[in-house]
Amino acid sequence: MNSVGDTLRCSIPLLLVLTFVFQVEGRAAGRLHRTKRQEETDFKCPKADGLFADPETCRKFYICAGHYPFSQNCPSSLYFDDIKKFCTRKTKQLACGPVETPETEAPPTPDPHLPNECDPAACVLPDCFCSSDGTRIPGGLEPSETPQMILLSFDGAVNSLNFDHYRKLLNKSRTNPNGCPIKGTFFVSHEYTSHFHLQKFFADGHEVAVHSISNRSPEEWWAKASYEDYAEEMVGQREILHKFANISRESLLGMRVPYLHPGGNDMMSVAYDFDFAYDSSIIVPMSHTPVWPYTLDYRISHKCMQGTCPTKSFPGLWEIPLNTLFSEDGTGGMCSLADQCVFQENDDESVEQFLKDNFKRHYNVNRAPLGLYFHVNWFNDRNKTNVLLNFVDDIRTKHRDVWFVTMQELISWMRNPTKAANLNSFAPWACEKRENSCNIPKNCEVPLTMDGYTEMRYMQTCAKCPVKYPWVGNFEGSAEGYKIVDLARDAEPESDDSKKR
């Protein structure tokens, strides 16, 4: 796989030549072409390649390629963080302005517990999958035989404020080649979620997965959280969804860590111990050949972008990684969640080309699943929403081997790779309609006590209203809270030695 720097060094000189050619041809033919006008600037790139903060304002940054600076502005109300290297909300943790980083870093100390490199002879489907560089298609299929799966996911709370926004995309009239409606995956955090509205999506056949109870800040907390912290946040949220959204535990199989700050071995140990089927929190570096999902039996084949990936083996636990999204000409920068890429206001053409570029990179290379992952802020922008809807409709019309599937459906296919020509009868992708819990929800007003302070919270559910607002350490919302780790410890069978004592 190419590194970010290698890719930019190769592509930008060619880009500048093509831009000049397009400008000349465009004037001659009277057509509009997608070129970026670069304003004069005195900014000097600190390094040949990379993203760098503007020294004068946090609202602006530069993409440097071959020491050439491309000026970019953050969208309204967002600011460039020079550590995270993307535009974000203004918080106390915002690293505004240039941040000095050491030129050289000491090499990391080798971890004696690192799992082995991929062994394809020992790692066989349906329970294990890996490849030397992560780009191999399962089942030995050729790209032309492989369906192009597109994963739509939505992170955060689900409620009446965003329900209709998501429904515009997940409309039952948009169908896959087998005639069933396209599907998406909701990574749901508890606070502000209406379990009534969430259950409607689940009843329509969409997947619900876990995104923690609190979605707490600061963002860095998640990288350092303990095993017990992850058990309370992730397993506790699964119990909340089971109890108040009427979703079986057997259907709640996936998780994604908030802010994409994975907690290494502790986080994966919780997923493994509490029978999650997959995680989707690890970012893959920018590459022109995308990576397929893999199980965590062996060492991760790509660079760990976040620095807190697992270093131990978790046999059979799937990782659905986030391939970095980017446009071929650099417009929008790079992002793992689609709404983190930065576009000029009302620049529909750039957003459209961004989606097309990422689709072609997957479809024309190795058909690795294309992940389009969103927060609700993408859908609060009417222009971006319309561009996305048109893109989805265009793809569905032109390609009969493209499927919009949930992450569970993706894993079902990977465990049993099936040629695109035979998928209309592929049982795991058949139409599914579940029954709604109720038509009129209960509107619960319940107290939440944190740090000695009590305030009233509101939640919608078809279940009985809890005594207290469900929270970390009290997932049932009962008068007396119970911790997940305590319940798990109580449920463990006594050993022979303890019985003797």
Side-chain angles (χ1 to χ4, degrees):
M1 290 185 288
N2 296 329
S3 68
V4 174
D6 292 339
T7 302
L8 288 172
R9 277 192 288 274
C10 292
S11 62
I12 292 299
L14 176 61
L15 167 64
L16 297 177
V17 173
L18 291 176
T19 299
F20 175 75
V21 172
F22 287 164
Q23 288 174 330
V24 173
E25 289 182 350
R27 293 192 190 100
R31 295 191 298 270
L32 291 176
H33 286 271
R34 197 166 156 271
T35 59
K36 289 181 65 62
R37 177 183 294 174
Q38 293 300 320
E39 59 188 43
E40 293 295 328
T41 178
D42 295 327
F43 182 80
K44 304 297 182 184
C45 290
K47 296 181 181 178
D49 307 313
L51 278 65
F52 303 97
D54 186 285
E56 305 295 331
T57 173
C58 291
R59 302 299 304 280
K60 187 176 180 180
F61 66 100
Y62 294 88
I63 301 174
C64 288
H67 286 291
Y68 189 91
F70 290 78
S71 174
Q72 297 281 336
N73 292 316
C74 287
S76 176
S77 77
L78 297 185
Y79 301 82
F80 184 74
D81 188 305
D82 199 37
I83 294 179
K84 298 173 184 173
K85 299 299 182 183
F86 59 77
C87 296
T88 184
R89 298 184 298 275
K90 193 172 185 179
T91 65
K92 293 181 180 179
Q93 290 78 35
L94 178 71
C96 180
V99 175
E100 292 186 8
T101 56
E103 290 297 320
T104 59
E105 296 181 358
T109 303
D111 187 339
H113 301 292
L114 274 176
N116 296 325
E117 299 286 350
C118 170
D119 182 357
C123 183
V124 295
L125 292 170
D127 298 318
C128 182
F129 181 74
C130 67
S131 60
S132 59
D133 62 0
T135 65
R136 180 169 65 91
I137 300 175
L141 299 183
E142 294 296 324
S144 60
E145 300 174 316
T146 307
Q148 177 59 65
M149 290 169 276
I150 297 181
L151 305 172
L152 301 171
S153 82
F154 313 89
D155 291 8
V158 174
N159 50 46
S160 60
L161 299 178
N162 55 34
F163 181 81
D164 289 336
H165 288 311
Y166 294 150
R167 266 285 176 87
K168 287 181 181 178
L169 173 60
L170 302 175
N171 189 302
K172 295 179 183 178
S173 65
R174 291 192 173 90
T175 57
N176 281 316
N178 63 354
C180 300
I182 67 172
K183 296 178 184 177
T185 299
F186 290 86
F187 288 97
V188 183
S189 52
H190 170 57
E191 194 168 20
Y192 307 118
T193 284
S194 163
H195 296 89
F196 169 71
H197 287 91
L198 177 63
Q199 209 276 334
K200 284 180 174 289
F201 280 125
F202 182 73
D204 285 341
H206 303 291
E207 180 186 359
V208 175
V210 170
H211 198 47
S212 83
I213 292 177
S214 69
N215 200 40
R216 71 176 70 185
S217 59
E219 298 176 11
E220 293 75 16
W221 182 88
W222 297 93
K224 302 174 183 177
S226 67
Y227 180 97
E228 290 76 13
D229 290 330
Y230 269 104
E232 298 309 318
E233 287 278 2
M234 298 302 189
V235 185
Q237 173 64 351
R238 182 170 66 184
E239 292 300 311
I240 289 174
L241 293 170
H242 169 61
K243 184 176 181 66
F244 296 103
N246 194 35
I247 301 174
S248 69
R249 295 182 184 91
E250 292 73 22
S251 297
L252 297 163
L253 298 179
M255 67 183 223
R256 174 176 289 165
V257 67
Y259 312 109
L260 300 180
H261 283 281
N265 294 327
D266 281 341
M267 184 186 87
M268 292 302 180
S269 292
V270 168
Y272 187 81
D273 292 345
F274 288 90
D275 295 325
F276 284 89
Y278 73 88
D279 169 72
S280 180
S281 304
I282 296 178
I283 299 173
V284 177
M286 174 181 170
S287 172
H288 285 278
T289 304
V291 167
W292 275 85
Y294 47 84
T295 58
L296 291 169
D297 295 65
Y298 295 92
R299 189 177 305 177
I300 294 173
S301 63
H302 57 82
K303 178 182 178 182
C304 175
M305 295 291 288
Q306 299 108 312
T308 50
C309 298
T311 58
K312 296 181 181 179
S313 175
F314 298 93
L317 179 62
W318 287 86
E319 178 61 36
I320 302 178
L322 293 84
N323 285 290
T324 295
L325 302 171
F326 61 96
S327 290
E328 295 303 317
D329 68 354
T331 302
M334 298 172 291
C335 54
S336 48
L337 301 174
D339 48 84
Q340 290 178 342
C341 273
V342 182
F343 302 94
Q344 298 295 330
E345 189 174 0
N346 298 326
D347 188 1
D348 296 358
E349 185 181 4
S350 291
V351 177
E352 179 185 7
Q353 193 62 44
F354 168 84
L355 294 172
K356 290 181 176 180
D357 285 351
N358 284 283
F359 172 76
K360 290 176 181 177
R361 187 180 311 112
H362 289 68
Y363 187 80
N364 294 336
V365 181
N366 67 345
R367 301 279 175 98
L370 168 61
L372 297 178
Y373 309 136
F374 305 96
H375 292 97
V376 70
N377 55 336
W378 179 287
F379 297 89
N380 289 333
D381 185 318
R382 182 179 300 176
N383 288 39
K384 282 186 177 179
T385 300
N386 289 336
V387 171
L388 176 63
L389 298 180
N390 291 335
F391 165 78
V392 170
D393 290 338
D394 184 63
I395 292 298
R396 290 176 47 256
T397 301
K398 294 180 178 178
H399 301 280
R400 297 300 298 171
D401 52 2
V402 173
W403 297 72
F404 292 81
V405 298
T406 69
M407 296 196 177
Q408 287 190 36
E409 290 176 329
L410 159 65
I411 292 175
S412 294
W413 184 90
M414 291 196 68
R415 288 172 58 86
N416 180 24
T418 303
K419 292 182 180 180
N422 301 326
L423 284 173
N424 279 358
S425 58
F426 186 57
W429 290 5
C431 303
E432 185 175 11
K433 175 69 177 179
R434 308 175 181 116
E435 187 176 349
N436 269 315
S437 293
C438 66
N439 294 319
I440 301 176
K442 297 179 178 67
N443 295 303
C444 307
E445 181 181 0
V446 285
L448 171 64
T449 301
M450 287 192 301
D451 302 324
Y453 177 74
T454 299
E455 62 181 15
M456 301 307 293
R457 293 292 181 92
Y458 302 88
M459 58 181 287
Q460 284 188 322
T461 177
C462 292
K464 181 181 177 181
C465 287
V467 177
K468 294 183 179 179
Y469 189 71
W471 201 244
V472 179
N474 187 8
F475 59 87
E476 290 185 326
S478 58
E480 302 265 341
Y482 300 98
K483 290 188 174 182
I484 293 292
V485 290
D486 292 336
L487 293 176
R489 190 179 299 115
D490 293 341
E492 290 178 355
E494 289 185 293
S495 65
D496 291 339
D497 290 340
S498 64
K499 289 179 181 177
K500 291 176 183 178
R501 289 195 297 268

